[in-house]
Amino acid sequence: MTFQPSAEMIDAVVEWRQRRPDEQVRQAIVPLLRDRFGIGPAEAVEVIRQSHAGGPDADAS
């Protein structure tokens, strides 16, 4: 079974990117995703990757 990030997870990454750099340093994105959504580090990385690719429905090329 392949992990599919939800739109809410993608939105969380977009929201995090809009923070000031000092706020990003205080709360790194991977731990934030893990805590907020109860996912593992590999899934958190997948959420970040898909957010760069255009969202949860983006092609995994």
Side-chain angles (χ1 to χ4, degrees):
M1 185 157 120
T2 303
F3 174 75
Q4 263 315 326
S6 69
E8 184 181 359
M9 291 175 181
I10 300 294
D11 289 345
V13 175
V14 171
E15 213 174 85
W16 182 86
R17 285 191 190 126
Q18 294 173 354
R19 294 179 179 184
R20 292 189 330 248
D22 62 313
E23 292 174 350
Q24 290 176 348
V25 169
R26 270 197 297 272
Q27 177 64 55
I29 188 64
V30 171
L32 176 107
L33 293 171
R34 292 183 69 194
D35 293 346
R36 184 168 174 186
F37 298 106
I39 59 177
E43 288 84 5
V45 170
E46 181 64 15
V47 173
I48 297 164
R49 188 191 69 73
Q50 287 200 26
S51 74
H52 286 292
D57 299 321
D59 238 339
S61 31

